[in-house]
Amino acid sequence: MDWLTTVDHKKIGILYLIAGGFFFLVGGLEALLIRIQLWKPLNDFVSADTYNELITMHGTTMIFLAAMPMLFALMNAVVPLQIGARDVAFPFVNALGFWTFFFGAVLLNVSWFTSTGAPAAGWTAYAPLSGPAFSTGHGMDYYVLGLQIAGIGTLIGGINFLVTIINMRAPGMTFMRMPMFTWASFITSALILFAFPALAVGLAALMFDRIFDANFFDPNNGGNAVLWEHIFWIFGHPEVYILILPAFGVISEVISTFSRKRLFGYSSMVFATILIGFLGFMVWAHHMFTTGLGPVANALFSIATMLIAVPTGIKIFNWIFTMWGGSIKFTSANLYAVGFIPTFVMGGVTGVMLAAAPADFQYHDTYFVVAHFHYVIVGGLILGIFSGLHYWWPKMFGRILNETLGKWTFWIFYIGFHLTFFIQHFLGLLGMPRRIWTYLDGLGFNEMNLISTIGAIMMGIGTIMFILNVVITNAKPQNAADDPWEDGRTLEWTIPSPPPEYNFKQTPLVRGYDAYWKEKMDGHKGMTPAEPIGSIHMPSPSILPFTMSLGLFITGFGLMYSRDWTFITEHIGFYVAGLGLLITFGSMFLRSVYDDHGFHIEPEELEDKGVKA
């Protein structure tokens, strides 16, 4: 019950990690099934329909249900600590964000167990393929409503972090003294604020098309299918940077710590992050060069896309200059960070190739695009997440992951990744289309697909080894030091591992960038407090975020089956949807009328309030 009612950002971070980790395994299993299907020509391991469901659910699960929550796990676990705060600005809303994400994710995956199957129109759900004419059954309904509910969680989570970072920084922590991970989380949250409403509008329109016979995207009835592409990519391209910017933040923290040097070019890194976030909104149409936008639009979006290489290049060079002359420790976390750099550069270079409109006409819908996308998302984001997990695991759980096992995991996963996706560039150049169920013998695809499948299996083995590491580590006592890497530079390393419920007994006074490192260099053993020890106000736990989200989950079912459940009475589906909304709005009403002032931890109780993990 404690975990169902918690509003503690550290525990919510752990909940995000468990849920995101579970869906990462689900998405990984779907990827392995895809690769097994393609390992030889004319294979019939899965049917064509199942294959379409697998590629749709793999992409959707990995982007929305695995990568996003694992980033939110790190943001929840780290950002309040890095800025010297005792929690996020709205702890109740933080819990609500997690539970809406969770119930949306469960709703989407329930589709696997229904008679009509999972969604099968691709993770981009292009109209009119995703409309009622071509996607009969309820698969796409699960996609529309599951993502809509999960998206609410992401949006309110992003707003919460924006407010937290703006308002709750410790005294002395100016914007230009914030750690890079916090900066990246800040820009990411801003992108979420502007990008996710576009997705919400698109999904709502698609829901009206499917459930209420509207015609937003049906060309036969005056709709416009390309409109969906615009809406989706106005969300979808910033989404790439929503995913990758926190990974940039992790790499900046890890490389700086394990090189025992201040991050090279901090100010330029900050402005490069802001510029990447801004340009990320300007380039959505480079996904649509082949839809016939015309040469002027294609040229403008080509140039804007290529411009992103400039701030990204600044980051790459700054990481290299940070390591230059440093006393580098190749821990597991740092191996992932260093391995990230050439991998992401490769993804960036192929991104510039795809940004050239004439070239894109050749690469479009081939495995070259698949390879590029996975080099950015897996080679960038997932390596960044693994790096961040190894780095902050002691702070989150009080235990250091096994280093030997961690390094073996890195090499097996890293080699497996490059085996899987590097060769797919050449598959694409040879002309192998993406999203095909099988292929003919004699086209030159056989050996490269086999190698790609072997690489995917190695990635699976690496993931299993990471889970094994977690299990082994969890059996050890919680004995990690406050600053287990001994070269911690930011505020989270000044407090116990794992942190107590209230985070900081006294809010720290920040006197410069890399606040903790500065104190160390000045010969101090800890931070100077900005306040005397006193009573600490804490928020009360609440079950209402859980019930609000459960209500939305029930509403989704009711809307989907509003036309099918006619055997009892004609409108039973709408009654079920109404019941769900009643639970949600009833919970909101209770939240509004019940005046909960939280509780206080008195100074004599401070040592007893730990966090269980």
Side-chain angles (χ1 to χ4, degrees):
M1 196 64 183
D2 181 38
W3 289 92
L4 296 183
T5 61
T6 185
V7 295
D8 183 345
H9 72 94
K10 299 178 286 295
K11 286 185 174 178
I12 290 172
I14 292 170
L15 287 173
Y16 268 118
L17 182 60
I18 293 171
F22 171 75
F23 286 114
F24 181 71
L25 294 179
V26 172
L29 178 62
E30 290 160 354
L32 279 176
L33 294 176
I34 292 168
R35 286 310 323 166
I36 291 171
Q37 167 62 26
L38 294 175
W39 78 278
K40 66 176 184 178
L42 298 173
N43 198 5
D44 58 356
F45 176 67
V46 294
S47 68
D49 289 341
T50 304
Y51 184 84
N52 285 340
E53 292 173 353
L54 284 171
I55 60 169
T56 302
M57 288 298 286
H58 166 67
T60 309
T61 301
M62 283 302 199
I63 295 290
F64 295 101
L65 313 183
M68 290 291 295
M70 286 198 284
L71 290 174
F72 266 91
L74 290 178
M75 288 162 68
N76 266 285
V78 176
V79 168
L81 305 182
Q82 282 198 331
I83 63 173
R86 292 207 167 94
D87 208 321
V88 294
F90 307 116
F92 181 93
V93 174
N94 199 24
L96 179 62
F98 169 74
W99 287 114
T100 46
F101 144 71
F102 178 76
F103 278 109
V106 171
L107 183 66
L108 182 55
N109 277 275
V110 164
S111 61
W112 278 119
F113 305 101
T114 62
S115 59
T116 54
W123 81 277
T124 51
Y126 282 153
L129 187 60
S130 56
F134 295 97
S135 288
T136 55
H138 289 295
M140 284 309 299
D141 295 334
Y142 279 98
Y143 175 96
V144 169
L145 292 163
L147 285 191
Q148 192 73 288
I149 295 171
I152 293 171
T154 305
L155 183 59
I156 60 180
I159 294 170
N160 207 353
F161 276 102
L162 275 178
V163 178
T164 301
I165 294 169
I166 291 172
N167 285 327
M168 300 184 70
R169 286 168 288 125
M173 180 167 282
T174 61
F175 273 99
M176 292 310 287
R177 289 178 179 177
M178 286 199 314
M180 274 311 300
F181 181 70
T182 299
W183 253 116
S185 300
F186 182 65
I187 301 300
T188 298
S189 301
L191 293 182
I192 288 173
L193 177 63
F194 293 107
F196 267 74
L199 178 66
V201 168
L203 289 174
L206 190 55
M207 180 185 74
F208 274 88
D209 271 14
R210 293 190 58 81
I211 298 177
F212 301 108
D213 296 327
N215 298 301
F216 287 102
F217 306 119
D218 182 2
N220 293 323
N221 291 297
N224 189 334
V226 178
L227 174 64
W228 168 262
E229 288 199 48
H230 279 292
I231 293 174
F232 185 87
W233 288 117
I234 283 173
F235 148 78
H237 199 78
E239 170 70 7
V240 174
Y241 298 99
I242 289 170
L243 296 173
I244 203 66
L245 285 181
F248 283 174
V250 170
I251 302 306
S252 298
E253 302 285 346
V254 171
I255 284 182
S256 177
T257 296
F258 293 113
S259 299
R260 292 178 56 84
K261 281 179 65 183
R262 176 181 169 138
L263 184 66
F264 185 90
Y266 169 78
S267 300
S268 64
M269 292 291 258
V270 169
F271 289 109
T273 305
I274 297 170
L275 191 56
I276 289 171
F278 174 75
L279 289 175
F281 270 102
M282 301 293 116
V283 298
W284 81 89
H286 74 218
H287 295 272
M288 302 166 60
F289 285 150
T290 57
T291 57
L293 298 178
V296 175
N298 284 357
L300 289 174
F301 282 102
S302 282
I303 294 166
T305 304
M306 291 180 189
L307 281 178
I308 297 182
V310 176
T312 307
I314 289 172
K315 284 184 168 289
I316 300 291
F317 281 113
N318 281 351
W319 288 325
I320 293 171
F321 289 140
T322 303
M323 288 189 286
W324 189 279
S327 176
I328 302 175
K329 289 181 185 174
F330 284 104
T331 60
S332 302
N334 203 26
L335 279 178
Y336 281 105
V338 175
F340 166 97
I341 295 175
T343 309
F344 190 79
V345 167
M346 181 83 179
V349 168
T350 52
V352 172
M353 293 169 72
L354 286 163
D360 182 76
F361 273 72
Q362 302 301 315
Y363 305 137
H364 192 76
D365 269 345
T366 70
Y367 261 77
F368 190 88
V369 179
V370 178
H372 157 72
F373 184 77
H374 284 84
Y375 258 77
V376 172
I377 299 299
V378 182
L381 169 66
I382 298 301
L383 291 183
I385 287 177
F386 273 131
S387 177
L389 287 176
H390 281 85
Y391 183 56
W392 282 305
W393 200 271
K395 189 53 61 182
M396 293 176 72
F397 298 97
R399 304 173 177 93
I400 299 177
L401 287 169
N402 184 291
E403 274 293 299
T404 305
L405 200 49
K407 290 173 182 173
W408 273 103
T409 303
F410 165 77
W411 284 113
I412 290 175
F413 188 90
Y414 195 70
I415 293 169
F417 164 78
H418 285 285
L419 273 181
T420 306
F421 295 111
F422 183 72
I423 206 156
Q424 288 184 4
H425 292 101
F426 300 98
L427 272 174
L429 293 175
L430 279 176
M432 180 167 169
R434 62 192 294 200
R435 303 182 181 121
I436 56 162
W437 167 55
T438 188
Y439 52 92
L440 294 173
D441 194 8
L443 298 176
F445 301 157
N446 301 11
E447 290 78 11
M448 285 189 270
N449 270 299
L450 176 62
I451 292 170
S452 188
T453 302
I454 292 170
I457 293 170
M458 287 181 69
M459 292 171 72
I461 293 171
T463 306
I464 292 170
M465 288 175 68
F466 178 77
I467 296 169
L468 185 66
N469 197 349
V470 170
V471 173
I472 292 172
T473 304
N474 196 49
K476 295 177 182 175
Q478 287 183 317
N479 57 3
D482 299 358
D483 182 11
W485 307 120
E486 298 177 350
D487 298 309
R489 310 176 72 86
T490 43
L491 290 179
E492 72 268 30
W493 307 112
T494 65
I495 56 178
S497 305
E501 184 179 354
Y502 47 83
N503 291 354
F504 295 88
K505 189 185 296 182
Q506 293 168 281
T507 302
L509 177 67
V510 175
R511 299 193 304 130
Y513 174 66
D514 277 350
Y516 187 32
W517 185 258
K518 177 172 176 55
E519 298 296 335
K520 286 180 187 175
M521 293 301 101
D522 288 349
H524 302 150
K525 292 184 178 178
M527 298 299 297
T528 304
E531 61 179 6
I533 294 177
S535 179
I536 298 174
H537 178 253
M538 301 295 295
S540 298
S542 173
I543 193 67
L544 292 179
F546 180 87
T547 57
M548 284 182 196
S549 310
L550 179 63
L552 292 175
F553 180 77
I554 295 170
T555 302
F557 270 111
L559 287 177
M560 262 189 287
Y561 290 99
S562 57
R563 293 178 178 174
D564 300 313
W565 292 345
T566 55
F567 53 93
I568 302 175
T569 177
E570 187 176 350
H571 300 298
I572 186 68
F574 291 114
Y575 293 141
V576 172
L579 173 66
L581 289 176
L582 186 66
I583 294 172
T584 298
F585 286 116
S587 301
M588 293 169 72
F589 177 75
L590 287 176
R591 173 67 180 173
S592 301
V593 298
Y594 180 62
D595 203 10
D596 184 355
H597 293 287
F599 64 96
H600 285 81
I601 301 175
E602 302 304 331
E604 58 272 17
E605 298 178 292
L606 287 178
E607 302 302 329
D608 301 328
K609 296 287 183 182
V611 61
K612 295 176 184 174

